[in-house]
Amino acid sequence: MDSVDQKILAELQQDGRLTVTELAARVRLSVSPCHRRLRELERTGAIRGYRAVVDPAALGLNFEALVFVSMRQEDRETVAGFERALSEVEHVVEAQRLFGDPDYLLRIATADLPAFQRLYDDRLATLPGVQRLTSTLVMKHVVEDRPLPGTRA
């Protein structure tokens, strides 16, 4: 990946709706070479897809929490069951498996604190293999959706 590819990625991370013509102008290429590079970035998986960034508040999701999950045991079957069940909880908007303790970090979006409490008690605490849940509330986002290092314009 060269500096032109990095510029293409930087521009698309800022505005994924750019036309190839607009993108080419911004990275100072003609349309055909820009289009070829774009298709190659898609083909190799450097660009995994395109999406809209939706404001959670517009959907009534004004409350966000981070939940740390420690597992009772971490055998393959327990982990697979936990991850399968977790993938069905729609208010989990992001989940990472971690090395060490805790085992998982979840980002949860709900309407308010009572909705989070119900989700916590009824769904999260009952997931397979969960030993302990620890949560913290998000006060504000300081850095959000930042372009990846090496791809900033």
Side-chain angles (χ1 to χ4, degrees):
M1 183 174 305
D2 63 16
S3 63
V4 176
D5 289 338
Q6 291 173 343
K7 288 177 187 174
I8 289 171
L9 294 174
E11 292 297 336
L12 288 174
Q13 285 179 93
Q14 293 299 317
D15 184 356
R17 293 183 60 148
L18 289 173
T19 66
V20 176
T21 303
E22 292 167 329
L23 181 60
R26 290 188 184 189
V27 299
R28 293 185 169 87
L29 281 179
S30 61
V31 173
S32 291
C34 182
H35 190 257
R36 276 193 300 277
R37 284 175 176 266
L38 180 60
R39 293 297 168 241
E40 182 64 12
L41 289 167
E42 292 169 345
R43 187 192 69 72
T44 62
I47 296 175
R48 296 189 311 198
Y50 300 88
R51 64 183 177 93
V53 178
V54 179
D55 181 4
L59 301 176
L61 300 171
N62 298 305
F63 185 87
E64 188 173 331
L66 301 175
V67 177
F68 301 92
V69 181
S70 295
M71 301 296 287
R72 219 178 355 263
Q73 55 194 44
E74 295 182 65
D75 60 275
R76 184 177 302 206
E77 187 176 315
T78 302
V79 166
F82 171 80
E83 291 179 1
R84 223 179 358 266
L86 185 64
S87 70
E88 296 173 10
V89 181
E90 72 173 341
H91 289 278
V92 175
V93 295
E94 197 170 340
Q96 287 100 20
R97 186 172 180 196
L98 310 173
F99 280 108
D101 188 42
D103 299 301
Y104 289 89
L105 170 61
L106 314 178
R107 189 165 66 92
I108 311 289
T110 63
D112 51 27
L113 180 59
F116 173 70
Q117 183 262 312
R118 285 189 303 277
L119 178 73
Y120 188 99
D121 291 345
D122 299 344
R123 300 289 306 276
L124 300 178
T126 65
L127 290 169
V130 170
Q131 176 182 357
R132 182 178 67 249
L133 299 172
T134 307
S135 58
T136 188
L137 308 180
V138 175
M139 182 185 306
K140 75 176 189 176
H141 290 268
V142 178
V143 177
E144 189 174 38
D145 293 326
R146 173 184 280 166
L148 293 173
T151 64
R152 296 188 187 132

